[in-house]
Amino acid sequence: MGEPTVPQASGPSPVRFDAVVVGAGPAGSAAALALARAGRSVALVERGPFPGSKNVYGGVVYGRVLDPIVPRWWEEVPVERWVVRRSTMVVTGSQSLSVDYRTQAWGDAPYNGMTTLRARFDRWLADKAVEAGATLVTSTVATGLRRDATGRIAGVVTDRPDGELAASVVVACDGVNSLLAKEAGLLPRSAPEHLTLGVKEVLELPPATIDERFGVGRREGVDIEVLGGTGGIAGGGFLYTNAASVSVGAVLSLTQLAASGTRPEAVVAELKAHPAIEPLLRGARLREYSAHLIPEGGYDTVPPLAADGLLVAGDAAALTLAAGIWLEGVNFAIGSGWAAGQAAARALASGDCSAAGLASYRAALEDQFVLADHKRFRGAPGLVLSDRVQHQYPAMVCDLVEQLFTVANPEPKPGGWRVLRRTAARHGIPLRQLAADALRAARIFG
Amino acid sequence: MSAEPTAPSPLRAPIRSRHGGTVYPGQSFEERMATIEFRVGTRAHITVDSAVCRSCTTKACVSACPADLFAPTSDGGILFNYEQCFECGTCYQVCNEVGAITWTYPDGGHGVVFHHG
């Protein structure tokens, strides 16, 4: 990547672009790329020293969203490992039950999911925007929205001297805390009930050790999602393999974390010490500790996506999908950013960058996976974070399986129904409640 | 092992590794934070009004901040250190005292630099 281009204001008039994209994460770089491809002048403003330097994710980037953006992206994307094993693990303090799926089909082009390091992945995508003609401006904070004499959004104010950037449209991809979307009144100042805190440790291990412990080849990886290993706090654990490290962490309901008084790294420590996880991490050395907020409120918390002269994409638009067994974010950021950039380009071409002129953005997201998936799973966050799914069911399911597979000779084996009834009763779960939740899950996920 | 455990497995049973220790025996929080690059700026991007904090009964920022940057003081206030901040936003999101925390980003190019995020 070349040195960042610093716009120099000449005289009193600010530097002008057709569009300014704030945040060179996956959403912002996709938006800038779409605008540059449409022949528009676009500034891509990043507050970190390089794209990705402020970003953290929790496991897998699903790359097919890149098909129309970077043909044969898999030949050049900075991948750590291609995920060929996907495990969902339900745990109590001393038990674990895994559903482990492996397919070699995910290890060949066009692949399914990859693990990556955001410092590399985000830089790669930002470079695509730069190659297409976008102007990347790093180490620069967009501190606020610039407004014209009528009060309409007309660019951004930055923390550089003479750092106003004038533009007909701003695409705010400035992350979960989006100060720009808040300034525009699209996002509430705080909404901890719709946020989770992700805390992660990257643990160094030799590649051959990772291959052996996880039963994979050198370029193949594993993604494990854990339910029930986060103490009394709603959320989940995760563990995935990089080329020469394993990332392990927890995603925690922010309100429950705050109420519990538990320190976040203590939850990760407990997860790492679980008998089903500790052997995978033994002897590893901590390479990097990190934390980041995640907007997990789903469809009902997605803000208005357009205002006069402004579009919002990625985490700033709360577009992370946290629907039980589907946990996706980077692909939703890319999908929304790409659609935002295309909508902004259409608005620029028509000369109407008002909210009405930018309305094709939301329509595009409704047509595509971004909002279609969110709408389909809109009830998921409530169910997945419920006390029963978080605490009662993991314990019940583990005990159920333990009883099925414990051979207590000379006692004969009990029947399955009897074991189910007995276990549900012992965990204080009425069977009608179990049936009601099964029906609810079928409605949400079916 | 009996076919019928006498009680459900406790969710929060004490967990030890097979070797009796943690995965990283003896690692201090300072050593943990030393794994992260911070390009510390001269301006504090987060300010805390300790006078407001004195009336706060929860002080949730103290336990929830993943970088452990908030410390209660003996007079009921909060001492805050911005230098090793992840810029995650947890503190102002869990804060229930309006005006106690002023939250912005560090100046461009400063603050946390993740290499393995």
Side-chain angles (χ1 to χ4, degrees), chain A residues 21 59 104 153 222 338 412:
Chain A
V21 178
Q104 293 310 114
I153 293 167
V222 179
W338 181 248

Side-chain angles (χ1 to χ4, degrees), chain A residues 45-67:
Chain A
V45 181
E46 166 58 43
R47 68 187 184 91
F50 56 84
S53 55
K54 303 292 183 182
N55 298 346
V56 181
Y57 83 130
V60 183
V61 174
Y62 297 94
R64 295 300 302 276
V65 67
L66 289 165
D67 286 356

Side-chain angles (χ1 to χ4, degrees), chain B residues 49-57 59 73-78 97 100:
Chain B
D49 186 342
S50 205
V52 179
C53 299
R54 279 190 200 98
S55 62
C56 175
T57 53
K59 292 185 170 56
T73 57
S74 56
D75 63 350
I78 291 286
E97 297 289 323

Side-chain angles (χ1 to χ4, degrees), chain B residues 41-47 80 82 102 104-107:
Chain B
T42 51
R43 181 182 68 88
H45 61 285
I46 297 173
T47 58
F80 171 71
Y82 73 94
T102 310
T104 60
Y105 294 124
D107 294 337

Side-chain angles (χ1 to χ4, degrees), chain A residues 229-307:
Chain A
T230 49
I233 303 162
F238 62 86
L239 188 158
Y240 61 90
T241 55
N242 304 307
S245 60
V246 173
S247 296
V248 60
V251 172
L252 306 168
S253 152
L254 198 52
T255 45
Q256 291 192 27
L257 173 70
S260 74
T262 307
R263 289 219 35 86
E265 76 278 3
V267 179
V268 180
E270 193 168 301
L271 188 70
K272 287 195 306 181
H274 191 279
I277 293 174
E278 186 271 338
L280 301 173
L281 307 176
R282 200 170 293 160
R285 189 175 69 91
L286 180 62
R287 189 67 196 274
E288 190 175 80
Y289 170 55
S290 58
H292 212 282
L293 288 181
I294 310 165
E296 291 203 358
Y299 188 79
D300 296 325
T301 63
V302 173
L305 297 172

Side-chain angles (χ1 to χ4, degrees), chain A residues 47 49-50 53-57 92-93 95 117-119 139-141 159 174 177 179 182 189-192 195 197 199-203 231-232 254 257-258 261-265 270 272-275 278-279 281-282 284 286-293 391 399 402-403 406 408 422 426-427, chain B residues 1-19 21-24 27 29 31-33 35-37 39 60-69 86-90 92-95 97-99 101 103-117:
Chain A
R47 68 187 184 91
F50 56 84
S53 55
K54 303 292 183 182
N55 298 346
V56 181
Y57 83 130
T92 70
Q95 301 161 299
L117 304 179
R118 295 292 298 278
S139 297
T140 302
V141 182
D159 66 346
D174 51 339
N177 288 299
L179 299 184
K182 286 176 185 179
R189 194 191 86 84
S190 71
L195 295 172
L197 176 66
V199 276
K200 182 169 86 168
E201 295 182 5
V202 177
L203 306 167
L254 198 52
L257 173 70
T262 307
R263 289 219 35 86
E265 76 278 3
E270 193 168 301
K272 287 195 306 181
H274 191 279
E278 186 271 338
L281 307 176
R282 200 170 293 160
L286 180 62
R287 189 67 196 274
E288 190 175 80
Y289 170 55
S290 58
H292 212 282
L293 288 181
H391 306 303
D399 279 349
E402 181 161 323
Q403 289 177 68
T406 299
R422 212 165 47 186
R426 193 184 304 121
H427 287 265
Chain B
M1 182 181 284
S2 99
E4 278 191 53
T6 53
S9 301
L11 272 170
R12 306 218 55 195
I15 297 167
R16 291 199 170 75
S17 78
R18 287 178 197 187
H19 308 298
T22 60
V23 178
Y24 305 99
Q27 187 181 52
F29 199 82
E31 287 168 317
R32 164 184 298 275
M33 294 306 290
T35 63
I36 310 138
E37 182 187 352
R39 300 185 185 174
C61 56
V62 174
S63 58
C65 169
D68 202 11
L69 298 176
F86 289 139
E87 303 151 33
C88 70
T90 294
Y92 83 87
Q93 289 283 355
V94 301
C95 180
E97 297 289 323
V98 175
I101 296 178
W103 197 93
T104 60
Y105 294 124
D107 294 337
H110 292 92
V112 70
V113 180
F114 291 123
H115 294 275
H116 293 76

Side-chain angles (χ1 to χ4, degrees), chain A residues 17-21 31-33 35-36 40-44 129 133-136:
Chain A
F17 291 88
D18 290 331
V20 173
V21 178
L33 181 53
L35 279 153
R40 292 293 164 180
S41 66
V42 52
L44 178 58
T135 301
L136 176 64

